[in-house]
């Protein structure tokens, strides 16, 4: 039951030094629909059914999907993979209080996370969390959007399709009435986005996305750059890395 699942995203932290996607490439009209999930045969909860490691689980679900699509990999990350990243970016295991998405992204960019193709390092940009086209372009161009959601309690009774409840954003529909949650968006169509959480696919309506997403990032994986014709040719890895140098823990 969804009631037993954990969340784990702490409040958004804004670092003005992180560039916005539109600062580094020209935005365009997104395709009508994109879905990167069919290449992945198995998603798992990655410990998020027992611990508040959703920020780490979302990172590994992203890396898993990118490798499946770029290299045909059947790799399935382990719970321990996600918990190791969680421990590196939070007070876990002494406390299990979640992590800040930006801390996870900085660690992922500076140190990387282990995959069968080697350490996956990234560059990243911010997205306007309420701009549907920016979320779609991140999915279309980079394979995902790494997002944070101010989850309402109403999601606990909505099954696998999340929408703004009939009562609006009060009571069980109030943002953060359940808590903060990190997810990766891997697909969209004309009405919904598809996210991975707790090892399963969940759809969210556009109204839900614009109401409850409170932070969003485009993640450019080094592995993804090898996929010809997907990432926009005018976005540069070196330029993004230079943007991020001052804020990465290792000074990379």
């Amino acid at each position: 039951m969804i009631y037993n699942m954990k969340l784990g995203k702490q409040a958004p932290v804004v670092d003005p030094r992180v560039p916005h996607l539109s600062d580094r490439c020209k935005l365009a009209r997104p395709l009508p629909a994109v879905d990167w999930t069919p290449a992945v045969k198995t998603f798992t909860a990655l410990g998020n059914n027992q611990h508040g490691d959703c920020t780490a689980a979302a990172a590994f679900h992203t890396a898993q999907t990118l490798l499946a699509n770029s290299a045909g990999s059947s790799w399935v990350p382990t719970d321990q993979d996600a918990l190791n990243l969680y421990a590196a970016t939070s007070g876990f295991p002494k406390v299990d209080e979640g992590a800040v998405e930006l801390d996870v992204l900085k660690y992922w960019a500076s140190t990387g996370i282990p995959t069968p193709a080697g350490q996956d390092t990234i560059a990243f940009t911010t997205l306007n969390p309420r701009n549907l086209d920016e979320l779609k372009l991140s999915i279309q161009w980079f394979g995902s959007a790494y997002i944070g959601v101010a989850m309402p309690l109403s999601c606990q009774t909505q099954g696998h399709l999340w929408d703004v409840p009939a009562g609006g954003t009060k009571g069980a529909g109030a943002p953060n009435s359940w808590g903060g949650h990190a997810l990766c968006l891997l697909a969209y169509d004309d009405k919904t986005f598809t996210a991975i959480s707790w090892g399963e696919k969940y759809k969210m309506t556009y109204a839900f996305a614009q109401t409850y997403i409170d932070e969003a990032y485009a993640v450019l994986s080094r592995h993804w750059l090898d996929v010809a014709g997907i990432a926009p040719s005018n976005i540069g890895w070196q330029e993004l890395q230079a943007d991020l140098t001052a804020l990465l823990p290792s000074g990379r």
Side-chain angles (χ1 to χ4, degrees):
M1 291 291 293
I2 198 169
Y3 287 101
N4 297 326
M5 299 305 182
K6 304 295 183 180
L7 302 180
K9 183 187 82 75
Q10 295 187 6
V13 172
V14 177
D15 189 327
R17 297 172 295 177
V18 180
H20 189 273
L21 180 62
S22 62
D23 297 332
R24 288 294 166 255
C25 67
K26 184 177 180 180
L27 303 186
R29 183 181 295 276
L31 294 174
V34 172
D35 187 355
W36 298 109
T37 63
V40 181
K41 304 306 180 186
T42 303
F43 288 109
T44 63
L46 296 180
N48 196 209
N49 53 344
Q50 299 178 11
H51 304 285
D53 68 330
C54 61
T55 52
F60 273 99
H61 285 144
T62 298
Q64 178 185 9
T65 303
L66 299 186
L67 272 183
N69 282 280
S70 64
S73 172
S74 59
W75 169 58
V76 179
T78 67
D79 288 7
Q80 195 59 53
D81 287 330
L83 293 175
N84 288 344
L85 177 57
Y86 182 35
T89 54
S90 73
F92 186 78
K94 290 184 178 180
V95 294
D96 188 4
E97 298 177 344
V100 173
E101 285 199 349
L102 190 58
D103 290 343
V104 174
L105 290 167
K106 289 178 180 180
Y107 183 91
W108 192 358
S110 62
T111 302
I113 60 176
T115 77
Q119 285 293 103
D120 180 33
T121 54
I122 62 165
F124 62 94
T125 72
T126 59
L127 303 168
N128 180 340
R130 304 298 165 83
N131 186 309
L132 300 181
D133 280 354
E134 289 188 17
L135 295 172
K136 291 177 182 179
L137 285 172
S138 182
I139 296 167
Q140 175 184 325
W141 284 341
F142 309 122
S144 71
Y146 184 84
I147 66 165
V149 179
M151 294 283 280
L153 280 168
S154 55
C155 287
Q156 294 185 350
T157 57
Q158 288 185 342
H160 286 66
L161 176 61
W162 297 337
D163 197 0
V164 180
T169 56
K170 297 180 179 179
N176 267 322
S177 52
W178 186 4
H181 194 36
L183 303 151
C184 59
L185 299 181
L186 302 177
Y188 65 86
D189 55 29
D190 61 341
K191 295 182 176 64
T192 63
F193 290 101
T194 299
I196 303 300
S197 183
W198 310 302
E200 299 182 16
K201 296 179 184 179
Y202 288 84
K203 289 184 178 292
M204 61 178 71
T205 66
Y206 288 171
F208 181 94
Q210 291 183 309
T211 302
Y212 297 107
I213 296 178
D214 61 0
E215 57 184 321
Y217 302 89
V219 174
L220 176 57
S221 166
R222 188 75 191 193
H223 300 320
W224 193 249
L225 290 177
D226 297 332
V227 185
I230 296 178
S233 60
N234 62 330
I235 189 165
W237 173 270
Q238 296 298 333
E239 187 177 29
L240 278 174
Q241 284 293 326
D243 288 335
L244 299 173
T245 295
L247 59 100
L248 296 182
S250 66
R252 180 175 177 178

